C-alpha cells in the first residue's frame, strides 16, 4: 500500500486534473496504510512532487490538505477508539508535517490555511458557510484535542472495560496533565506508545508554527505568528493543561535514568524525543516581545491556585500569561532543579564518560530559562535567592568556554552571555559569586583555587583572548557583566586578578585604542571594575591590589596617552605588525585542568544558520544607581541623538562613573578592529582628547601614590623578592581617608527591546531547523528568516 500513496501523488500531478473531494477511494490511499513512520512518509513523498502538485494542480493540493485536516477533526471528534482510526490520525499528521513547509514557502499559498473551504466535502455546499472556521483553526484545535485523547495520548481514567468510552468533549483535560510538577501532583504511569503519539502531534504543531521561518526578519513586533496566536488564545480550551504538560515533561526529565550510571544502555529512552519536542514547542509559543507590552506585575500575595489571579490580565498569549503567573516556591524549585539538572548533563559526562545519556537540547533549555527570567520576575528573584543560581552559572560558563572557537556556535555564545547579563543586573548575583568553587568540571582553563567569580573572570578572559573573531561584538557585554558584579567581589584569586590586568594591557595598546571608534569603551569598563573593587572591597582584595602595583606602568601609559596626529599614526602602524587582536603572551597561562580538551573549531562543512545583529550595549541595558541602602534607581537615559563632532560632553571626574554612552555618531558603530581599513573613519587628536580626559584614573593613581613607595621600601629594607610578604603587608594595609570619595555604584541592567526579541526569534528557529534532521522537516525549503551557511 505504501506504493499506492506515492502513485497517488503522481496521479495528482500528472495529468493535472482535479480529483473530486468526494472521491474517498482516491484520497483514502494517503492515510490508509498501516505500517508507516514519519520517515517513510518523507521518503515516499519527495519535495519535487509536492512542488509539482502545488504548481500544476493546486486544487488537488488544496483538497489533500483539507481532507487530511478533516480526518484529524474526525479523529478528535470520535476520540480515536480503534487502532484503525489512530493509524489514520498519525498518517495525516505525518503527511501534513511533510507538506506544510511547501505551503509556507510560497507566498501565494500562505493564506490558504486561513481561508475557509466553501462546501468542500459537504455534499454540494448548501450549508451555511458563514460560521465555518479557517482550516488553520480547525487543524490546531483538533491537534489540541488529540493531545488529551484517552488511550491515544493520555492514560484512560476508566475503571473497567464495561464503562463506556470517555467522551472526549466532556473530559477535563486538567486531570490528564502528562507529568507531575507545576500545579499537578500525580505522576501518570509512563506509556511509551502515548509518548510516541504525543511526539508526532507536537512535531505537526511545531511545523504549523514554523511559518515564521518563511518571513524575513523584521523589527516590527506587531507581526505576531497567527498560528501561535490562535493556539495560545482562549479559543484553545486545553491551553492551561498543555502548557503545564510541556513544562512539567521538560523539567521532570532525568536522562540518567533512575540515577543509575549506564542505565540508559539497558533501556531505550522513549521520553527524550518527547522532551525535545516539548521544549521546542514551548519556546516557540513563548516567542513574545515583552518590550512592546506591559508585562503583568504580580503582587506579593499567594493564593491557593498555581496561577495568581491578579490584574492586569497580562498578554493575550496564555502561555506567556501562565508562565508569568507561576509563583509557588515549590513550583520554582521544581523548574530550577529540572533546568539545572539538564544543563549540567553534558558536564556529568566528563566525570564518567558515557555513564549518562547525553542530551542535545541545551540551547532550547537556555532559551526557556531566559524566557522564565524575562517574563517572571519572581522566578528571577527565586533563582538569585540561594546559591542554586550557581548550578545554572557553571554549565553556562562550561558551554561558553567549550564553544568559543567554534563558528557554528556563535548563537550559543550569545544566549549564554545574555543570560549572565540579565542575572548580573541583580545585586544578589554578585554576592552569590563569592561562594568557593570546588566542583572540578574539566575545563580548558588554568587551574586556580578561588570562587565562582574567579571562574567567571578566567572563562571570560579565555573567550576574549582565544575565541574567534565573530565574538568581538560580545566583548562589551562580557565586561559589563564583570562591572556589574565587581562591587560585591570580596576576594579575587591571583590568577583572576592577573587576567583582568592582562585584558587592560591588551585593550590599552595604542593600536587597539586607535583602530576602532568603540575600542576605548573596553578600557573604561575595566577601569570601572578596578575602581569598584578598590573603593568597595579593598580589604580582602590584596591579590588585585598587588597586580595593579606590579602593572602600574599600564596605568601611567594610559594617563600619558599621546594625542598628536603623528603618535596616532605611529600607534596604527604598530597594528600592521601585530595582526592578532590580543596576544596570548604574558598572560601566564598555567597548565589547563586535568581531563579537559581544548575548545575545538567547527568541523569544516558544519551547517549553521545566520543571526541578526544584536543591539549595542547602550540599547541592551539601562543604567541604575545603587543607593546606600542597596536599592536601585533608574538613571535618565542620555538623549539618543548623537552630539555633533567636536561638540563633546564636558569631562567627567572620577567621582562619576563613565556612562557608557557613545560620544560619536551611530553610523560608526563598527565594532571590529578592522574598521579603519575600510577607510570610513580615522582617529583624530580631538577624538582621542574627548575620551582621554574622561578616563577614571584618579582612584588608581592615588592608590599607587600611597602604596608603591611603601612596597618599594619593604623590598629594599628586607631585600625582598617574595610575593607573600608584600601580600601580607597589603592585606593589613588600609587606604581609609586616602582615596577620593567613593563614586556611586552604577549597574547596567538588561532592558527588553525589540532588537533582542528579533535576535531570539532567529536564533531559536535556527536551532530548531538544524536540530530536526530525522525527518528533515525544513531542509531544502526556501527559508527566509535566516540563511543556512556552511562553516
Amino acid at each position: 500500500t505504501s506504493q499506492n500513496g506515492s502513485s497517488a501523488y503522481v496521479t495528482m500531478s500528472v495529468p493535472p486534473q482535479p480529483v473530486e473531494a468526494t472521491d474517498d477511494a482516491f484520497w483514502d490511499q494517503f492515510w490508509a496504510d498501516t505500517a508507516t513512520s514519519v520517515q517513510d512518509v518523507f521518503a515516499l513523498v519527495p519535495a519535487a512532487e509536492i512542488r509539482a502538485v502545488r504548481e500544476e494542480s493546486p486544487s488537488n493540493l488544496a483538497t489533500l490538505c483539507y481532507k487530511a485536516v478533516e480526518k484529524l477533526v474526525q479523529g478528535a471528534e470520535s476520540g480515536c477508539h480503534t487502532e484503525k482510526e489512530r493509524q489514520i490520525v498519525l498518517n495525516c499528521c505525518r503527511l501534513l508535517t511533510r507538506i506544510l513547509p511547501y505551503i509556507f514557502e510560497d507566498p501565494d499559498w500562505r493564506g490558504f490555511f486561513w481561508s475557509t473551504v466553501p462546501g468542500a466535502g459537504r455534499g454540494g455546499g448548501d450549508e451555511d458557510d458563514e460560521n465555518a472556521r479557517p482550516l488553520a483553526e480547525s487543524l490546531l484545535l483538533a491537534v489540541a484535542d488529540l493531545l488529551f485523547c484517552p488511550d491515544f495520548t493520555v492514560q484512560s481514567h476508566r475503571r473497567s472495560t464495561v464503562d463506556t468510552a470517555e467522551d472526549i468533549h466532556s473530559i477535563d483535560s486538567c486531570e490528564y496533565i502528562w507529568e507531575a510538577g507545576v500545579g499537578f501532583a500525580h505522576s501518570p504511569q509512563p506509556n511509551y506508545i502515548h509518548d510516541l503519539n504525543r511526539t508526532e502531534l507536537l512535531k505537526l504543531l511545531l511545523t504549523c508554527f514554523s511559518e515564521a521561518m518563511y518571513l524575513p526578519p523584521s523589527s516590527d513586533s506587531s507581526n505576531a505568528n497567527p498560528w501561535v496566536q490562535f493556539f495560545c488564545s482562549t479559543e484553545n480550551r486545553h491551553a492551561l493543561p498543555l502548557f503545564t504538560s510541556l513544562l512539567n515533561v521538560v523539567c521532570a526529565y532525568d536522562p540518567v535514568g533512575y540515577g543509575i550510571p549506564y542505565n540508559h544502555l539497558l533501556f531505550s529512552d522513549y521520553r527524550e524525543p518527547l522532551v525535545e519536542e516539548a521544549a521546542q514547542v514551548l519556546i516557540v509559543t513563548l516567542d513574545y516581545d515583552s518590550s512592546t507590552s506591559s508585562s503583568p506585575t504580580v503582587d506579593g500575595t499567594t493564593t491557593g491556585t498555581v496561577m495568581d489571579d491578579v490584574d492586569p490580565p497580562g498578554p493575550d498569549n496564555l502561555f506567556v500569561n501562565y508562565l508569568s503567573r507561576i509563583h509557588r516556591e515549590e513550583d520554582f524549585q521544581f523548574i530550577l532543579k529540572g533546568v539545572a539538572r539538564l544543563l549540567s548533563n553534558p558536564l556529568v559526562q566528563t566525570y564518567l564518560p558515557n555513564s549518562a545519556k547525553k542530551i542535545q537540547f541545551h540551547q532550547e533549555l537556555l532559551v526557556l530559562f531566559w524566557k522564565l527570567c524575562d517574563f517572571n520576575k519572581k522566578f528571577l528573584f527565586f533563582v538569585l535567592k540561594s546559591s542554586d543560581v550557581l548550578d545554572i552559572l557553571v554549565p553556562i560558563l562550561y558551554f561558553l568556554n567549550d564553544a568559543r572557537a567554534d563558528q557554528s556556535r556563535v548563537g550559543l555564545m550569545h544566549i549564554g552571555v545574555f543570560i549572565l547579563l540579565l542575572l548580573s543586573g541583580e545585586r544578589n548575583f554578585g554576592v552569590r559569586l563569592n561562594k568557593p568553587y570546588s566542583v572540578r568540571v574539566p575545563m580548558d582553563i588554568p587551574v586556580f583555587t578561588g570562587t565562582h567569580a574567579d571562574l567567571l573572570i578566567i572563562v571570560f578572559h579565555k573567550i576574549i583572548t582565544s575565541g574567534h573573531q565573530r565574538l568581538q561584538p560580545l566583548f562589551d557585554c562580557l565586561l559589563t557583566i564583570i562591572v556589574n558584579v565587581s562591587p560585591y567581589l570580596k576576594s579575587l584569586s591571583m590568577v583572576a586578578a592577573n587576567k583582568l590586568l592582562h585584558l587592560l594591557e591588551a585593550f590599552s595598546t595604542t593600536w587597539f585604542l586607535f583602530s576602532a571608534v568603540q575600542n576605548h569603551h573596553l578600557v573604561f569598563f575595566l577601569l570601572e571594575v578596578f575602581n569598584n573593587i578598590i573603593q568597595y572591597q579593598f580589604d580582602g582584595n590584596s591579590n588585585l591590589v598587588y597586580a595593579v602595583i606590579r602593572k602600574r606602568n599600564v596605568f601611567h601609559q594610559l594617563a600619558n596617552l599621546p594625542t598628536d596626529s603623528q603618535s596616532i599614526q605611529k600607534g596604527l602602524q604598530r597594528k600592521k605588525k601585530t595582526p592578532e587582536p590580543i596576544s596570548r603572551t604574558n598572560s601566564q597561562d598555567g597548565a589547563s585542568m586535568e581531563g579537559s580538551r581544548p575548545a575545538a573549531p567547527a568541523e569544516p562543512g558544519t551547517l549553521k544558520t545566520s543571526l541578526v545583529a544584536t543591539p549595542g550595549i547602550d540599547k541592551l541595558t539601562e543604567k541604575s544607581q545603587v543607593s546606600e541602602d542597596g536599592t536601585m534607581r533608574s538613571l535618565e537615559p542620555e538623549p539618543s541623538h548623537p552630539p555633533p563632532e567636536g561638540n563633546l560632553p564636558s569631562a567627567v571626574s572620577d567621582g562619576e562613573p563613565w556612562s557608557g554612552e557613545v560620544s560619536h555618531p551611530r553610523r560608526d558603530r563598527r565594532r571590529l578592529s578592522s574598521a579603519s581599513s575600510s577607510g570610513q573613519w580615522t582617529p583624530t587628536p580631538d577624538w582621542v582628547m574627548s575620551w582621554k580626559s574622561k578616563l577614571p584614573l584618579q582612584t588608581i593613581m592615588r592608590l599607587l601614590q600611597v602604596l608603591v613607595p611603601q612596597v618599594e621600601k619593604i623590598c629594599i629594607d628586607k631585600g625582598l623578592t617574595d610575593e607573600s610578604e608584600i601580600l601580607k603587608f597589603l592585606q593589613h594595609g588600609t587606604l581609609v581617608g586616602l582615596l577620593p570619595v567613593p563614586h556611586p555604584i552604577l549597574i547596567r541592567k538588561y532592558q527588553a527591546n525589540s532588537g533582542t526579541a528579533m535576535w531570539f526569534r532567529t536564533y531559536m528557529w535556527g536551532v530548531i531547523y538544524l536540530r530536526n534532521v530525522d525527518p528533515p522537516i525544513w531542509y531544502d525549503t526556501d527559508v527566509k528568516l535566516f540563511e543556512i551557511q556552511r562553516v
Side-chain angles (χ1 to χ4, degrees), residues 160-436:
S160 70
T161 47
V162 185
D163 298 353
T164 49
E166 289 144 298
D167 173 20
I168 193 157
H169 296 285
S170 62
I171 70 170
D172 174 5
S173 45
C174 285
E175 292 171 14
Y176 291 85
I177 287 169
W178 301 349
E179 185 59 75
V182 176
F184 195 67
H186 166 67
S187 192
Q189 246 339 92
N191 180 321
Y192 81 91
I193 299 287
H194 293 173
D195 276 2
L196 293 172
N197 294 342
R198 291 163 177 173
T199 304
E200 299 237 28
L201 286 159
L202 290 178
K203 213 179 264 310
L204 172 57
L205 199 52
L206 193 60
T207 309
C208 290
F209 295 159
S210 71
E211 186 181 353
M213 282 197 212
Y214 297 89
L215 302 168
S218 80
S219 51
D220 177 19
S221 48
S222 61
N223 57 4
N225 184 328
W227 296 83
V228 172
Q229 216 169 1
F230 178 79
F231 191 78
C232 298
S233 73
T234 48
E235 295 271 351
N236 178 0
R237 70 189 181 99
H238 304 292
L240 177 58
L242 187 58
F243 167 75
T244 315
S245 295
L246 295 172
L247 185 62
N248 291 355
V249 156
V250 172
C251 295
Y253 180 54
D254 185 357
V256 177
Y258 316 105
I260 308 165
Y262 302 101
N263 204 28
H264 68 289
L265 300 175
L266 308 176
F267 303 101
S268 180
D269 183 357
Y270 293 98
R271 233 328 114 108
E272 188 174 24
L274 174 65
V275 176
E276 291 211 358
E277 215 64 55
Q280 292 180 359
V281 168
L282 200 51
I283 59 177
V284 170
T285 52
L286 296 170
D287 176 20
Y288 178 80
D289 184 355
S290 58
S291 68
T292 57
S293 60
S294 55
S295 53
T297 49
V298 181
D299 64 4
T301 61
T302 38
T303 50
T305 57
V306 186
M307 311 299 172
D308 268 345
D309 294 316
V310 194
D311 286 325
D316 296 335
N317 177 325
L318 291 179
F319 280 39
V320 174
N321 201 336
Y322 297 146
L323 184 81
S324 67
R325 282 167 37 198
I326 299 172
H327 66 277
R328 294 193 318 197
E329 294 263 309
E330 58 269 38
D331 290 338
F332 287 158
Q333 189 60 31
F334 164 74
I335 294 171
L336 181 58
K337 280 268 177 277
V339 174
R341 175 177 59 246
L342 291 169
L343 285 178
S344 309
N345 164 276
L347 287 60
V348 178
Q349 294 297 321
T350 45
Y351 293 121
L352 299 165
N354 307 325
S355 63
K357 184 165 178 157
K358 186 159 187 177
I359 62 155
Q360 302 294 333
F361 56 98
H362 49 276
Q363 301 194 82
E364 292 92 324
L365 285 166
L366 290 171
V367 175
L368 178 60
F369 183 76
W370 169 270
K371 301 278 178 198
L372 280 157
C373 293
D374 196 22
F375 295 155
N376 190 323
K377 287 298 169 247
K378 279 190 167 177
F379 176 74
L380 176 63
F381 298 141
F382 177 84
V383 169
L384 293 164
K385 202 172 69 174
S386 74
S387 52
D388 287 351
V389 65
L390 303 175
D391 298 336
I392 300 284
L393 170 75
V394 172
I396 288 177
L397 291 175
Y398 173 85
F399 293 130
L400 290 177
N401 188 56
D402 188 54
R404 69 178 194 266
D406 184 340
Q407 295 258 354
S408 69
R409 292 197 282 168
V410 178
L412 171 62
M413 298 293 295
H414 277 76
I415 188 168
V417 172
F418 283 158
I419 290 172
L420 298 183
L421 179 66
L422 180 70
L423 295 174
S424 75
E426 307 298 329
R427 173 183 177 273
N428 263 355
F429 182 64
V431 174
R432 298 283 159 241
L433 290 179
N434 290 308
K435 188 177 174 181

Side-chain angles (χ1 to χ4, degrees), residues 578-599:
T578 359
E580 228 2 76
I582 291 157
S583 67
R584 302 293 305 278
T585 49
N586 56 20
S587 131
Q588 289 120 8
D589 263 7
S592 278
M593 289 185 167
E594 211 178 319
S596 67
R597 290 193 308 273

Side-chain angles (χ1 to χ4, degrees), residues 651-662:
V652 183
S653 76
D654 200 17
E656 181 186 9
W658 175 70
S659 68
E661 287 300 318
V662 184

Side-chain angles (χ1 to χ4, degrees), residues 485-649:
V485 301
S486 59
Y488 312 111
L489 304 183
K490 293 197 181 325
S491 170
L492 286 185
S493 70
M494 190 59 94
V495 178
N498 283 333
K499 297 296 174 210
L500 286 175
L501 278 142
H502 176 241
L503 288 179
L504 182 70
E505 216 175 347
F507 289 147
S508 57
T509 60
T510 47
W511 72 256
F512 186 78
L513 284 173
F514 297 159
S515 62
V517 71
Q518 297 288 80
N519 284 353
H520 63 278
H521 291 185
L522 301 173
V523 169
F524 276 83
F525 284 135
L526 285 164
L527 291 175
E528 203 174 322
V529 170
F530 298 134
N531 287 338
N532 281 342
I533 294 177
I534 292 165
Q535 287 282 17
Y536 292 98
Q537 300 289 349
F538 180 81
D539 301 337
N541 269 302
S542 51
N543 287 330
L544 183 77
V545 173
Y546 177 65
V548 167
I549 291 174
R550 273 192 48 223
K551 292 281 182 189
R552 57 190 178 276
N553 63 320
V554 179
F555 299 98
H556 290 302
Q557 278 166 8
L558 266 174
N560 300 316
L561 190 73
T563 54
D564 59 288
S565 305
Q566 203 181 352
S567 305
I568 294 174
Q569 281 318 306
K570 208 155 138 195
L572 288 171
Q573 288 307 311
R574 203 167 302 163
K575 177 190 174 189
K576 295 197 176 89
K577 296 187 195 111
T578 359
E580 228 2 76
I582 291 157
S583 67
R584 302 293 305 278
T585 49
N586 56 20
S587 131
Q588 289 120 8
D589 263 7
S592 278
M593 289 185 167
E594 211 178 319
S596 67
R597 290 193 308 273
E603 291 287 318
T606 306
L607 286 180
K608 65 186 179 84
T609 52
S610 62
L611 292 162
V612 292
T614 49
I617 195 75
D618 46 343
K619 287 265 197 307
L620 263 183
T621 54
E622 60 177 2
K623 290 184 287 298
S624 300
Q625 204 165 301
V626 183
S627 316
E628 307 269 310
D629 59 358
T631 54
M632 289 199 191
R633 63 180 183 85
S634 184
L635 296 178
E636 284 304 300
E638 268 102 294
S640 59
H641 58 85
E645 226 127 343
N647 175 12
L648 292 156

Side-chain angles (χ1 to χ4, degrees), residues 2-227:
S2 303
Q3 293 315 305
N4 295 1
S6 69
S7 61
Y9 270 93
V10 180
T11 318
M12 259 178 23
S13 54
V14 205
Q17 59 199 30
V19 182
E20 284 303 315
T22 48
D23 183 355
D24 284 339
F26 176 78
W27 297 110
D28 285 349
Q29 306 177 80
F30 288 99
W31 31 81
D33 193 357
T34 44
T36 59
S37 66
V38 68
Q39 285 78 4
D40 294 339
V41 172
F42 271 67
L44 284 170
V45 184
E49 281 185 25
I50 305 175
R51 289 190 176 116
V53 176
R54 189 182 70 195
E55 306 309 326
E56 309 298 325
S57 23
S59 70
N60 285 347
L61 183 59
T63 308
L64 180 66
C65 291
Y66 168 74
K67 297 295 277 188
V69 173
E70 188 181 50
K71 286 289 174 201
L72 289 181
V73 172
Q74 285 167 5
E77 292 283 323
S78 72
C80 284
H81 295 301
T82 66
E83 194 45 53
K84 184 169 192 258
E85 285 177 282
R86 291 174 197 159
Q87 205 49 59
I88 288 175
V89 161
L90 288 172
N91 283 338
C92 289
C93 207
R94 293 159 185 159
L95 191 62
L96 286 165
T97 302
R98 180 60 171 142
I99 292 174
L100 274 167
Y102 297 91
I103 301 264
F104 293 151
E105 73 174 357
D106 185 336
D108 297 337
W109 273 85
R110 225 167 271 148
F112 168 70
F113 270 85
W114 294 97
S115 58
T116 50
V117 183
R122 294 194 194 156
D126 326 323
E127 294 117 288
D128 181 14
D129 282 328
E130 283 306 296
N131 54 10
R133 279 192 176 281
L135 208 48
E137 295 186 5
S138 305
L139 170 55
L140 290 171
L141 293 177
V143 171
D145 278 339
L146 288 163
L147 285 167
F148 292 98
C149 184
D151 288 327
F152 180 50
T153 49
V154 290
Q155 214 69 50
S156 169
H157 289 187
R158 282 179 303 167
R159 292 287 163 270
S160 70
T161 47
V162 185
D163 298 353
T164 49
E166 289 144 298
D167 173 20
I168 193 157
H169 296 285
S170 62
I171 70 170
D172 174 5
S173 45
C174 285
E175 292 171 14
Y176 291 85
I177 287 169
W178 301 349
E179 185 59 75
V182 176
F184 195 67
H186 166 67
S187 192
Q189 246 339 92
N191 180 321
Y192 81 91
I193 299 287
H194 293 173
D195 276 2
L196 293 172
N197 294 342
R198 291 163 177 173
T199 304
E200 299 237 28
L201 286 159
L202 290 178
K203 213 179 264 310
L204 172 57
L205 199 52
L206 193 60
T207 309
C208 290
F209 295 159
S210 71
E211 186 181 353
M213 282 197 212
Y214 297 89
L215 302 168
S218 80
S219 51
D220 177 19
S221 48
S222 61
N223 57 4
N225 184 328
W227 296 83

